[in-house]
């Protein structure tokens, strides 16, 4: 079954996302999020279906593709840390390698090693649009279970069902797959560990209407928020970014 712990350690379980030809609205309305380009509503069309992991990539899976740290995993003292989402990995140094968003992954990156181990040569991060479409699973609310939370804290308790966040995580990540999945059976897209997507920062406007966008630049997007963040980050339509 999909909750088998082996899918959190020795195997990868993927879901096919039914996205081909769908024209939809990304982002959050300004009434329910901090107004600005990082949550601006705009339209996107996706050209094909794609696959995403049912769970966030775990520390055990990271070790299987040759990942290591001099000091070991951040949370090694926890008995179940092998099932924690892998944290502290960098877009450029670890995940895709020191390559541009529109370039292929480096062979010595996590994704490059994952391709080598599996023989599946198309593994990559989802684009910003692919991530949000998979996260929402047909919802248009800030949370991907069809409920709402506002950036100023209204409805923040709604996050508890779907996301490990700063109000319920105790300052640490948790085993993947313990919160409620979205309608497509995908877990932890909100909270727990923030997730890199392939795109770089882009100033969205309400006039944007693109097909399969992939934005390049020097600041890389992270989605979904994390165990350290609040409602304005742990939602389906808001993004933040760093140097990668």
């Amino acid at each position: 079954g999909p909750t088998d712990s082996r899918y959190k350690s020795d195997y990868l379980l993927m879901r096919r996302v039914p996205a081909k030809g769908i024209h939809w609205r990304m982002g959050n309305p300004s009434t329910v999020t901090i107004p600005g380009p990082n949550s601006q509503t705009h339209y996107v069309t996706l050209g094909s279906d794609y696959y995403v992991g049912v769970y966030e990539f775990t520390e055990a899976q990271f070790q299987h593709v040759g990942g290591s740290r001099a000091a070991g995993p951040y949370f090694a003292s926890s008995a179940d840390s092998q099932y924690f989402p892998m944290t502290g990995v960098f877009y450029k140094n670890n995940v895709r390698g020191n390559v541009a968003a529109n370039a292929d992954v480096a062979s010595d990156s996590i994704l490059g090693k994952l391709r080598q181990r599996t023989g599946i040569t198309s593994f990559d991060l989802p684009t910003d649009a692919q991530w949000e479409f998979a996260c929402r699973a047909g919802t248009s609310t800030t949370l991907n279970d069809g409920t709402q939370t506002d950036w100023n804290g209204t409805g923040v308790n709604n996050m508890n069902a779907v996301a490990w966040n700063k109000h319920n995580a105790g300052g640490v990540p948790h085993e993947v797959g313990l919160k409620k999945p979205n309608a497509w059976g995908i877990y932890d897209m909100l909270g727990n560990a923030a997730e890199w997507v392939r795109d770089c920062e882009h100033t969205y406007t309400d006039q944007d209407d693109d097909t399969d966008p992939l934005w390049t630049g020097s600041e890389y997007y992270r989605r979904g928020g994390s165990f350290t963040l609040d409602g304005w980050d742990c939602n389906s339509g808001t993004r933040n970014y760093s140097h990668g």
Side-chain angles (χ1 to χ4, degrees):
T3 58
D4 192 306
S5 63
R6 287 174 292 183
Y7 292 127
K8 304 176 183 181
S9 56
D10 298 332
Y11 299 90
L12 283 175
L13 182 63
M14 313 289 287
R15 292 281 194 199
R16 184 171 180 167
V17 177
K20 184 176 181 179
I22 294 180
H23 184 246
W24 60 290
R25 189 193 72 179
M26 283 184 70
N28 288 327
S30 60
T31 54
V32 294
T33 193
I34 299 175
N38 286 334
S39 57
Q40 173 65 56
T41 55
H42 59 284
Y43 283 91
V44 169
T45 300
L46 295 172
S48 61
D49 294 351
Y50 54 94
Y51 289 84
V52 297
V54 166
Y55 300 113
E56 294 180 309
F57 205 66
T58 65
E59 292 191 357
Q61 291 165 335
F62 182 74
Q63 298 298 319
H64 278 308
V65 293
S68 64
R69 269 200 277 256
Y74 282 163
F75 301 99
S77 60
S78 299
D80 55 349
S81 68
Q82 65 173 325
Y83 301 133
F84 286 11
M86 191 61 205
T87 56
V89 289
F90 297 96
Y91 183 108
K92 297 176 76 171
N93 290 4
N94 303 112
V95 180
R96 298 193 80 246
N98 191 18
V99 296
N102 60 352
D104 205 2
V105 303
S107 60
D108 61 349
S109 67
I110 294 172
L111 284 161
K113 292 176 181 178
L114 186 60
R115 292 179 179 189
Q116 295 164 20
R117 287 294 298 265
T118 62
I120 300 172
T121 59
S122 57
F123 270 117
D124 209 334
L125 293 177
T127 66
D128 189 37
Q130 287 175 332
W131 183 94
E132 186 169 328
F133 187 78
C135 175
R136 288 190 177 281
T139 61
S140 59
T141 49
T142 53
L143 300 180
N144 62 1
D145 64 350
T147 63
Q148 202 78 271
T149 184
D150 291 348
W151 69 268
N152 62 4
T154 304
V156 71
N157 290 335
N158 293 355
M159 286 195 298
N160 290 337
V162 295
W164 293 109
N165 60 85
K166 81 171 189 179
H167 298 284
N168 64 7
V172 296
H174 291 260
E175 177 180 337
V176 299
L178 299 184
K179 291 295 185 180
K180 178 182 175 182
N182 70 12
W184 292 340
I186 306 170
Y187 294 83
D188 292 308
M189 294 201 79
L190 303 180
N192 221 1
E195 301 177 5
W196 291 114
V197 295
R198 192 170 169 182
D199 295 62
C200 297
E201 181 192 7
H202 175 73
T203 301
Y204 292 104
T205 74
D206 60 5
Q207 300 301 308
D208 284 349
D209 194 341
D210 301 291
T211 298
D212 290 330
L214 175 61
W215 307 110
T216 60
S218 59
E219 300 286 340
Y220 296 84
Y221 274 142
R222 295 173 301 201
R223 300 300 307 264
S226 77
F227 63 93
T228 67
L229 297 175
D230 211 331
W232 54 84
D233 284 307
C234 297
N235 70 70
S236 302
T238 301
R239 55 191 58 75
N240 58 38
Y241 55 87
S242 83
H243 54 75

